[in-house]
């Protein structure tokens, strides 16, 4: 209580942000409550469910277990920075095409985690995707359509690479 | 017909979720918003000696602290909603906050409002409560014994109700050729939707209008109850259920926190937000199942089943929650004979209070328990007469000629073809092949098992007169309005309230086929009591079967009017018109035509309507089904049990479901998958455990095992389609089939694998430890 705020500056989805936050404020609360980026969700606040997953410097991180002050100087990517309706990211297309979501609550975190997986393993097997989903809980889908969605995304990325175009930017 | 119904149409709702634009309750930000936090009882049963809130009130960010005493006579208790008659129900209303006594761990004791989230939590720590601990009763069978602890002093033996609608005389069992008996424990579960409960309330002191956003599967029920609890006119209380991150029954319930949030917003005249954290969800949101079920099945050596008798002792927790009395009685009891032609059935259910979190509906609500006991006892019966479980099923499944079928429990099963679903599943699994393989592998010390579940469930709740006769405090009809705008865009309003099942798309598909307008031009609106006249929400797989049916009827009314206008404009009678792909044309003069969209404009502008016709193109319909619907199917699971470690490896899972006509097979498949995941979760991992002191020891995701991706096998699904005659769409219900069918399929498979060891029955969840211990105990392999 009554601890002074500190200034934190980092980039979110390519935009530089400077904020004054309580030192104990969790990154997920800062993103959601202060920056209005409500796409990132809280499912457990104990690092179990993955709903709050965001990318920090290219690595998937659970933002409910990171203090805002820890991301000083970092690049943060949230679902809002993944793609837009005009330019969906392949993972977003995959989830839409293959029915990878139902209530959609876990989806932003799951997609970010899967982008991270595809970065390191562009052609994962079903098993590898299921292993990659270890850190997330989805209560709706039974995961099979998520696996299909990720495979679909992997294919889209591979195709776009073959055509030597960026994975983001081809429109939908 | 453009034929969009029946196609794998991509979901309309997805774009907002995949771009992070979903709008959940915690996403709501209002100017001047304050935050609430609940202090919860750490004891399962304790007298509250004193509560000192003075220090909390001194916290600079704190605006108010409420205790039970503060609320006396200011708001009413949150009541139950289903007063099942004829069972001497003693329902205890829940005080908004505990007053003299706390009855379970997690019961609310004080409610703090502060200017920010963190301060509200801080202030909770500053409240000092002195408790005097009381003896605790956790187990429901213990709770019924003479002289035990009383959860409520005026409820003898903690018995909240005793329901016995039917019985079978002892002689039937005494004279039967074969009788098998078994006790099954339906362990306690926690629904755990990924979005916890949440509420935001805003009050307008000038108009007296209250808006309450909350995670609700049935906002109109919440409005009706909270309006009464808070003393606000229904017309002044607007309940909005925005995007909901899963419900699974947990968000049907009426709870104290939502009502308190609204109370505080009015009292302080500022917006209040309350968000449950996961730890609170484990303690404070309704649990489910938790029943001790004794079953006796009578039959003949030739495999015929003749009578079933079931006694269910249900742990209600410390209160009869919203649907708490109906789940173990009506929902369970009516389905006790399952999919079998059994002429005699006796059911008895005792609802018991204990010092635990109240139990209520969870995906399937009663039907999974019913399917479990019957599907398990059928296997035990088959085993006892040395018959193949598939043969026993084939012999006793209700044959397709018998529909509509009058069950021994007084239900009329609407339609079915149970043998067909079984046959298809058997083909998919290649049963004969499997049996050979099983035999081979057993010789090598590998233990595979196959488990069957030929289930039926009751859903599509349901006729309102049944609701009334069984003590439900609401109706079970559904309401829909179809509004066609001048441009031909369509808005559909439904009284149901989906939360992830894809009805924005399935409902829009229905409209596409009716009007020939594009899917993109249709909006489906739900979850707002101010916009939707009345409705009863989403549970019991009723959304499409009842809400979709209302929608289809409303759409037909709109269409009939559009057709009249078209005939008038084209100067022929209605019979002389064709309608195809959104175009009315004269049969005799096909070039002479009007599109549905042109008619939408005509109707709304009203420049040239038939004599006496009202302007506008809109209709409302109220649909009250004449019966429930009864989805059915066969699920088959194959497991391998590692007898050295007790680990169960799921090898295959096959689901053949019949949910009537399919509107969107992709969405239906997704629902089936999700339900199976939860059903397998119950069979193998999930369990809410209390210790003797009533502490919830499985109170986090660390201790409560949720199914994760790598735990689950690939699910092989197929559908047969037997239309239901009780609604114009011919649909049944999809959402609960998997949770109903999966637990017995999995457990039967494990028991089949363990057959050589003489292990006949183990209770869920079948953890490696439990299986391993049983193997140690029963030990030696029985020669097979
Ligand atoms: S909210 Fe961060 S992992 Fe669950
Ligand atoms: S889609 Fe609902 S939790 Fe994953």
């Amino acid at each position: 209580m009554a601890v002074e705020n500190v200034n934190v500056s980092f980039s979110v989805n390519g935009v530089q942000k400077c904020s004054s936050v309580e030192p104990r404020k969790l990154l997920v609360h800062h993103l959601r409550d202060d920056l209005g980026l409500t796409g990132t969700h809280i499912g457990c606040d104990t690092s179990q469910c993955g709903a709050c997953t965001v990318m920090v410097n290219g690595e998937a991180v659970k933002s409910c277990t990171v203090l805002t002050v820890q991301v000083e100087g970092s690049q943060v990517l949230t679902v809002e920075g993944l793609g837009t309706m005009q330019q969906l990211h392949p993972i977003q297309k995959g989830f839409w095409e293959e029915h990878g979501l139902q209530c959609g609550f876990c989806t932003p975190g799951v997609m970010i985690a899967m982008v991270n997986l595809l970065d390191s393993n562009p052609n994962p097997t079903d098993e590898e995707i299921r292993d990659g989903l270890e850190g997330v809980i989805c209560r709706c889908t039974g995961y099979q359509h998520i696996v299909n969605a990720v495979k679909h995304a992997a294919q889209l990325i591979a195709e776009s690479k073959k055509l030597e175009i960026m994975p983001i930017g081809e429109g939908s | 017909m453009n034929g969009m119904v029946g196609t794998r149409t991509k979901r309309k709702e997805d774009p907002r979720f995949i771009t992070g634009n979903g709008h959940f309750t915690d996403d709501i930000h209002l100017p001047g918003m304050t935050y609430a936090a609940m202090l919860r009882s750490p004891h399962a049963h304790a007298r509250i000696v004193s509560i000192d809130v003075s220090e909390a009130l001194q916290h600079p960010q704190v605006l108010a602290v409420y205790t039970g005493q503060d609320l006396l006579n200011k708001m009413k208790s949150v009541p139950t909603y289903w007063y099942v008659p004829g069972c001497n129900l003693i329902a205890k209303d829940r005080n908004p906050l505990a007053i003299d006594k706390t009855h379970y761990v997690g019961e609310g004791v004080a409610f703090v409002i502060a200017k920010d989230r963190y301060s509200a939590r801080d202030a909770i720590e500053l409240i000092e409560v002195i408790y005097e601990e009381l003896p605790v009763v956790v187990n429901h069978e213990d709770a019924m014994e003479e002289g035990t602890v009383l959860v409520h002093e005026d409820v003898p033996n903690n018995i909240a109700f005793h329901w016995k609608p039917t019985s079978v005389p002892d002689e039937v069992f005494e004279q039967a050729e074969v009788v098998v008996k078994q006790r099954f424990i339906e362990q306690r579960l926690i629904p755990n939707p990924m979005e916890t409960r949440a509420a935001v309330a805003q009050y307008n002191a000038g108009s007296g209008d209250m808006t309450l956003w909350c995670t609700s599967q049935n906002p109109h029920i919440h409005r009706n109850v909270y309006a009464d609890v808070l003393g606000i006119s229904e017309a002044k209380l607007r309940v909005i259920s925005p995007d909901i991150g899963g419900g699974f029954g947990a968000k049907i319930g009426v709870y104290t926190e939502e009502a308190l949030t609204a109370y505080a917003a009015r009292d302080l005249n500022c917006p209040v937000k309350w968000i449950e954290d996961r730890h609170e969800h484990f303690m404070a949101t309704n649990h489910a199942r938790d029943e001790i079920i004794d079953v006796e099945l009578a039959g003949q050596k030739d495999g015929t089943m003749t009578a079933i008798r079931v006694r269910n002792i249900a742990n209600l927790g410390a209160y009869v929650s919203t649907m708490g009395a109906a789940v173990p009685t009506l929902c369970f009891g009516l389905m006790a004979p399952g999919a079998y032609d059994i002429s005699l059935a006796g059911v008895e259910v005792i609802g018991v209070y204990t010092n635990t979190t109240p139990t209520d509906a969870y995906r399937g609500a009663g039907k999974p328990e019913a399917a479990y006991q019957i599907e398990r006892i059928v296997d035990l019966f088959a085993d006892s007469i040395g018959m193949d479980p598939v043969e026993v099923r084939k012999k006793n499944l209700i044959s397709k000629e018998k529909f509509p079928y009058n069950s021994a429990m007084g239900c009329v099963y609407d339609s079915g073809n149970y043998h067909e679903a079984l046959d298809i599943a058997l083909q998919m699994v290649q049963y004969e092949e499997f049996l050979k393989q099983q035999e081979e592998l057993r010789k090598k010390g590998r233990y595979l098992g196959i488990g069957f579940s030929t289930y039926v469930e009751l859903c599509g709740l349901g006729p309102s007169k049944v609701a009334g006769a069984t003590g439900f405090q609401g109706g079970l009809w559904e309401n829909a309005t179809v509004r066609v705008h001048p441009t031909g865009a369509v808005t559909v309003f439904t009284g149901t309230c989906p939360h992830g099942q894809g009805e924005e798309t399935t409902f829009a598909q229905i409209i596409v086929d009716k009007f020939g307008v594009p899917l993109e031009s249709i909006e489906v609106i739900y979850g707002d009591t101010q916009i939707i006249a009345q409705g009863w929400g989403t549970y019991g797989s009723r959304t499409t079967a009842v809400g979709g049916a209302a929608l289809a009827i409303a759409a037909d009314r709109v269409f009939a009017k559009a057709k009249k206008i078209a005939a008038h404009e084209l100067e022929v009678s209605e019979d002389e018109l064709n309608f195809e792909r959104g175009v009315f044309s004269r049969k005799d003069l096909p070039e002479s035509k009007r599109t549905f969209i042109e008619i939408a404009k005509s109707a709304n502008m009203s420049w040239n309507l038939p004599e006496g016709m009202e302007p506008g193109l809109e209709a409302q319909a109220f649909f009250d089904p004449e019966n429930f619907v009864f989805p059915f199917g066969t699920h088959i699971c194959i497991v391998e049990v590692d007898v050295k470690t007790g680990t169960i490896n799921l090898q295959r899972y096959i689901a053949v479901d019949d949910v009537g006509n399919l509107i969107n097979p992709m969405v239906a498949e997704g629902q089936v998958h999700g339900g199976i995941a939860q059903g397998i979760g119950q069979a193998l991992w999930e369990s809410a455990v209390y210790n003797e002191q009533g502490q919830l020891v499985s109170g986090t995701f660390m201790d409560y095992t949720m199914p994760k991706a790598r735990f689950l096998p690939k699910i092989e699904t197929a559908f047969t389609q037997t239309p239901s005659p009780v609604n114009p769409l011919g649909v049944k219900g999809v959402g609960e089939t998997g949770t109903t069918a999966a637990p017995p399929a999995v457990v039967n498979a494990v028991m089949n694998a363990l057959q050589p060891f003489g292990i006949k029955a183990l209770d869920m969840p079948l953890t490696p430890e439990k299986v391993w211990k049983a193997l140690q105990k029963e030990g030696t392999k029985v020669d097979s």
Side-chain angles (χ1 to χ4, degrees):
Chain A
M1 233 194 300
V3 178
E4 293 218 347
N5 280 8
V6 289
N7 289 327
V8 186
S9 123
F10 59 101
S11 128
V12 183
N13 302 329
V15 180
Q16 200 63 30
K17 301 276 177 189
C18 287
S19 327
S20 154
V21 299
E22 263 190 270
R24 63 173 173 168
K25 190 162 220 168
L26 297 170
L27 177 59
V28 69
H29 284 136
H30 181 55
L31 290 170
R32 291 179 46 80
D33 294 352
D34 303 335
L35 303 181
L37 296 168
T38 54
T40 302
H41 297 146
I42 302 172
C44 68
D45 43 34
T46 49
S47 248
Q48 308 288 323
C49 76
C52 64
T53 308
V54 299
M55 209 81 97
V56 177
N57 295 333
E59 287 293 325
V61 157
K62 290 178 173 170
S63 62
C64 72
T65 0
V66 175
L67 297 170
T68 314
V69 291
Q70 290 176 283
V71 299
E72 169 71 33
S74 308
Q75 312 271 335
V76 175
L77 175 79
T78 70
V79 64
E80 288 90 347
L82 218 44
T84 62
M85 276 314 288
Q86 290 67 43
Q87 295 189 314
L88 287 176
H89 187 282
I91 197 81
Q92 293 171 310
K93 285 188 189 173
F95 270 70
W96 194 9
E97 289 291 335
E98 295 294 333
H99 191 30
L101 60 149
Q102 288 184 27
C103 75
F105 193 79
C106 72
T107 312
V110 175
M111 288 193 304
I112 298 272
M114 292 298 99
V115 168
N116 197 187
L117 173 77
L118 293 176
D119 280 348
S120 59
N121 180 0
N123 190 17
T125 62
D126 285 20
E127 277 309 297
E128 286 167 340
I129 297 170
R130 285 183 188 267
D131 282 345
L133 289 164
E134 176 56 25
V136 310
I137 301 174
C138 171
R139 191 56 151 166
C140 296
T141 60
Y143 304 102
Q144 192 158 323
H145 286 160
I146 293 183
V147 173
N148 297 347
V150 177
K151 291 197 108 161
H152 190 79
Q155 212 176 349
L156 291 177
I157 293 170
E159 279 164 19
S160 66
K161 285 212 177 116
K162 238 190 264 160
L163 297 168
E164 286 185 302
I165 57 164
M166 294 295 292
I168 307 180
E170 80 223 71
S172 57
Chain B
M1 280 279 171
N2 286 359
M4 189 164 251
V5 165
T7 64
R8 299 176 75 90
T9 305
K10 267 196 329 186
R11 299 203 322 171
K12 279 173 70 63
E13 42 274 84
D14 289 358
R16 66 178 187 271
F17 297 120
I18 57 175
T19 57
N21 286 294
H23 190 58
F24 298 91
T25 305
D26 193 22
D27 302 343
I28 294 166
H29 247 288
L30 301 170
M33 190 146 77
T34 63
Y35 296 82
M38 180 74 92
L39 174 69
R40 299 184 181 280
S41 171
H43 303 295
H45 200 193
R47 193 165 304 289
I48 300 175
V49 179
S50 62
I51 307 180
D52 182 357
V53 301
S54 54
E55 215 180 314
L57 279 171
Q58 268 157 30
H59 187 296
Q61 302 293 317
V62 167
L63 299 167
V65 181
Y66 302 103
T67 64
Q69 208 66 38
D70 298 333
L71 300 170
L72 265 184
N73 306 321
K74 300 229 173 90
M75 62 188 279
K76 288 193 202 163
S77 294
V78 177
T80 179
Y81 205 68
W82 207 324
Y83 295 87
V84 177
C87 61
N88 300 319
L89 177 68
I90 315 177
K92 305 299 293 185
D93 287 348
R94 251 190 275 196
N95 284 324
L97 292 166
I99 297 180
D100 306 318
K101 243 173 80 167
T102 66
H103 305 81
Y104 63 96
V105 168
E107 184 169 5
V109 173
F111 200 56
V112 171
I113 317 294
K115 287 187 192 150
D116 66 273
R117 273 182 214 268
Y118 287 28
S119 299
R121 295 277 159 160
D122 288 340
I124 287 290
E125 310 277 315
L126 302 175
I127 301 170
E128 208 178 305
V129 187
I130 298 178
Y131 295 99
E132 181 189 307
E133 283 187 63
L134 297 170
V136 172
V137 63
V138 169
N139 177 280
H140 26 325
E141 215 170 28
D142 296 346
M144 291 161 61
E145 269 172 26
E146 223 42 71
T148 45
V149 175
L150 293 180
V151 179
H152 303 283
E153 276 110 22
D154 53 350
V155 183
N157 298 74
N158 293 308
I159 294 177
F161 62 76
H162 189 170
W163 188 74
K164 196 174 181 185
T166 55
S167 56
V168 181
D170 289 341
E171 302 88 78
V172 173
F173 287 87
E174 280 155 17
Q175 288 155 17
E177 277 180 20
V178 188
V179 175
V180 278
K181 283 188 200 186
Q182 186 62 46
R183 165 168 283 205
F184 299 109
I185 308 287
E186 275 280 337
Q187 83 271 36
R188 183 177 276 246
L189 298 178
I190 298 178
N192 271 319
M194 291 322 296
E195 180 205 31
T196 55
R197 281 187 300 133
V200 171
Q202 185 173 38
Y203 181 67
N204 183 319
S207 64
D209 290 327
M210 172 76 79
T211 307
L212 175 66
W213 291 263
C214 65
T215 47
S216 170
Q217 293 176 226
N218 30 242
H220 290 88
I221 292 182
H222 282 136
R223 180 196 59 181
N224 298 353
V225 173
Y226 296 149
D228 183 46
V229 164
L230 294 163
I232 298 176
S233 150
E234 275 175 356
K236 288 278 185 197
L237 175 60
R238 175 181 194 177
V239 173
I240 301 176
S241 178
D243 284 332
I244 300 296
F248 314 117
K251 294 170 183 171
I252 299 171
V254 280
Y255 294 92
T256 200
E257 291 90 343
E258 287 83 346
L260 275 170
T261 303
Y263 176 85
R266 181 175 60 183
D267 192 48
L268 302 172
N269 196 21
C270 64
V272 179
K273 177 187 273 191
W274 170 76
I275 306 294
E276 181 184 60
D277 71 24
R278 182 58 60 182
H279 185 51
E280 289 181 281
H281 179 84
F282 272 99
M283 297 186 289
T285 294
N286 292 336
H287 292 175
R289 317 280 198 254
D290 209 359
E291 293 161 10
I292 300 169
I293 301 171
D294 287 296
V295 191
E296 274 175 282
L297 182 80
Q300 287 156 213
K301 290 193 184 111
D302 70 354
T304 313
M305 310 195 308
T306 51
I308 183 170
R309 194 149 67 172
V310 185
R311 181 181 194 247
N312 179 354
I313 303 171
N315 190 342
L316 303 174
Y319 296 97
V320 181
S321 58
T322 312
M323 309 271 186
V327 172
T329 54
L330 299 157
C331 303
F332 167 84
L334 296 182
M335 293 317 291
Y340 307 102
D341 197 356
I342 304 177
S343 49
L344 295 170
V347 174
E348 177 181 12
V349 183
I350 304 172
V352 183
Y353 285 123
T354 61
N355 293 116
T356 61
T357 299
T359 54
D360 205 308
Y362 166 55
R363 200 170 189 170
K367 286 103 60 170
E369 298 93 303
Y372 184 70
Q373 53 84 31
I374 183 79
E375 289 305 303
R376 287 283 300 122
I377 203 84
V378 165
D379 266 31
L380 291 171
F381 173 59
D383 190 54
S384 76
I385 56 171
M387 203 165 164
D388 186 300
V390 173
E391 287 317 306
V392 173
R393 285 179 167 82
K394 283 189 172 165
K395 198 172 180 99
N396 293 282
L397 281 174
I398 300 160
S399 63
K400 99 171 181 254
E401 299 73 39
K402 290 205 169 173
F403 291 94
Y405 171 84
N406 286 299
S407 87
M409 287 306 296
C411 277
V412 180
Y413 296 2
D414 59 342
S415 63
N417 191 348
Y418 298 173
H419 288 88
E420 187 194 21
L422 172 60
D423 288 341
I424 292 173
L426 285 168
Q427 264 166 31
M428 284 167 76
V429 79
Q430 304 220 309
Y431 189 41
E432 299 301 325
E433 290 300 303
F434 172 82
L435 289 176
K436 278 188 216 134
Q437 189 201 2
Q438 183 183 38
E439 192 65 42
E440 292 294 302
L441 288 174
R442 263 188 198 174
K443 288 186 199 136
K444 295 184 190 152
R446 287 183 57 192
Y447 295 92
L448 267 61
I450 191 164
F452 295 86
S453 169
T454 45
Y455 75 96
V456 59
E457 60 146 338
L458 168 159
C459 62
L461 306 180
S464 298
K465 56 178 189 296
V466 174
T470 58
F472 184 57
Q473 297 303 294
L476 283 172
W477 46 266
E478 214 30 89
N479 158 58
T481 299
V482 174
R483 178 176 300 161
V484 185
H485 303 279
T487 57
V490 181
T491 311
V492 166
F493 302 86
T494 171
T496 66
C497 192
H499 38 276
Q501 300 93 333
E503 266 94 7
E504 282 175 49
T505 307
T506 44
F507 282 13
Q509 285 176 267
I510 296 169
I511 297 292
V512 168
D513 280 13
K514 297 269 185 202
F515 299 163
V517 293
L519 189 79
E520 299 71 48
S521 67
I522 303 159
E523 285 307 315
V524 179
I525 308 288
Y526 53 84
D528 185 337
T529 61
Q530 202 95 314
I531 295 180
I532 292 129
Q534 176 62 275
W536 298 102
T538 287
Y539 42 84
S541 294
R542 67 189 299 281
T543 308
T544 307
V546 191
L551 169 74
I553 296 164
D556 285 342
R557 288 183 188 158
V558 166
F559 184 79
K561 182 168 180 184
K563 195 170 188 186
K564 280 201 178 81
I565 299 169
H568 172 75
E569 290 190 6
L570 296 170
E571 299 177 328
V572 283
S573 75
E574 288 166 60
D575 312 339
E576 292 166 293
L577 284 182
N578 275 328
F579 183 75
E580 218 182 320
R581 295 182 183 278
V583 183
F584 294 100
S585 61
R586 278 175 63 154
K587 284 180 183 163
D588 62 338
L589 203 63
E591 321 73 83
S592 189
K593 56 193 174 193
R594 287 284 186 279
T595 63
F596 184 85
I597 292 169
E598 286 168 336
I599 300 296
K601 186 169 180 185
S602 307
N604 279 287
M605 300 311 167
S606 185
W607 289 328
N608 173 24
L609 293 184
E611 194 62 37
M613 182 183 273
E614 283 179 18
L617 195 53
E618 172 167 332
Q620 186 172 28
F622 293 81
F623 175 70
D624 202 347
E626 71 201 30
N627 190 5
F628 304 106
V629 291
F630 294 83
F632 62 90
T634 294
H635 287 206
I636 304 178
C637 181
I638 293 181
V639 299
E640 178 169 0
V641 180
D642 179 340
V643 292
K644 291 199 192 73
T645 61
T647 310
I648 290 153
N649 174 4
L650 290 162
Q651 293 205 334
R652 283 182 79 187
Y653 195 99
I654 289 152
V656 180
D657 296 289
D658 193 315
V659 295
N661 291 336
L662 289 172
I663 295 175
N664 187 331
M666 178 184 79
V667 165
E669 192 179 278
Q671 286 294 309
V672 168
H673 286 182
I676 290 170
Q678 292 182 357
I680 295 177
Q682 170 166 21
L684 298 182
W685 312 293
E686 293 184 42
S687 180
V689 179
Y690 282 97
N691 68 12
E692 299 254 299
Q693 289 77 43
Q695 292 294 331
L696 182 64
V697 288
S698 56
T700 70
F701 283 145
M702 291 287 271
D703 324 291
Y704 185 95
T705 314
M706 295 276 277
K708 289 201 174 178
R710 71 179 160 78
F711 298 5
L712 296 166
K714 189 167 185 298
I715 296 162
E716 302 159 56
T717 39
F719 292 98
T720 58
Q721 297 191 52
T722 310
S724 170
V726 311
N727 62 66
L729 296 170
V731 298
K732 295 192 170 183
V734 195
E736 301 166 305
T737 56
T739 22
T740 300
V746 175
V747 176
N748 281 340
V750 175
M751 292 307 143
N752 181 247
L754 295 176
Q755 214 173 28
F757 300 91
I759 298 168
K760 292 197 189 299
L762 293 176
D763 290 316
M764 299 183 288
L766 299 176
T767 57
E769 185 193 358
K770 192 179 284 170
V771 173
W772 183 83
K773 276 188 179 156
L775 281 161
Q776 302 312 302
K777 202 163 135 239
E778 306 290 330
T780 42
K781 188 168 157 255
V782 181
D783 275 331
S784 53

